[in-house]
Amino acid sequence: QVQLVESGGALVQAGGSLRLSCAASGSIRSINTMGWYRQAPGKQRELVASITTGSTTNYADSVKGRFNISRDNAKNTVYLQMNSLKPEDTAVYYCRYQTYLPNYSNSWGKGTLVTVSS
């Protein structure tokens, strides 16, 4: 079992920046993927960005050029730097941990709220 704790959500004005953090603890495998997802009211949860232990990243088209995902493997922590925030970025942001070795394992955090005012 892996536990995830997100932090950093806040109310920010459009054009502003925020940095989210997600700290993982528990049975963390050396090879894994961590990512950020978001869910806005009335919408499905969607991938924002993900990063592997080898630092391969993947971004949703809507955040490319504005958001940057990074991780500190020594601290088992993943970060999401969000710049040029837009009102449509308003959502609950969830951290996710996945590994396929030796078996598939998937964990979610409880989420942190990001509100972008216009």
Side-chain angles (χ1 to χ4, degrees):
Q1 281 282 50
V2 172
Q3 294 76 44
L4 303 171
V5 178
E6 303 102 332
S7 61
L11 170 65
V12 63
Q13 287 190 332
S17 298
L18 278 177
R19 188 194 196 204
L20 305 182
S21 299
C22 172
S25 61
S27 302
I28 299 166
R29 300 301 182 182
S30 59
I31 298 175
N32 62 70
T33 298
M34 294 185 72
W36 289 96
Y37 291 70
R38 66 186 181 187
Q39 187 165 18
K43 294 188 177 182
Q44 289 188 330
R45 192 173 297 188
E46 61 177 2
L47 171 69
V48 176
S50 65
I51 184 168
T52 68
T53 42
S55 296
T56 298
T57 59
N58 182 40
Y59 293 91
D61 288 343
S62 60
V63 306
K64 283 181 180 176
R66 299 189 298 124
F67 291 9
N68 183 70
I69 190 169
S70 62
R71 64 186 294 166
D72 184 333
N73 290 331
K75 296 181 178 179
N76 293 317
T77 300
V78 64
Y79 306 96
L80 185 68
Q81 177 66 42
M82 304 186 294
N83 301 321
S84 303
L85 282 161
K86 304 175 181 180
E88 51 263 43
D89 294 318
T90 295
V92 177
Y93 283 69
Y94 297 90
C95 182
R96 185 182 190 184
Y97 165 95
Q98 295 183 87
T99 186
Y100 292 87
L101 299 172
N103 309 104
Y104 179 70
S105 177
N106 175 47
S107 298
W108 290 92
K110 293 184 178 180
T112 185
L113 177 62
V114 172
T115 304
V116 184
S117 63
S118 57

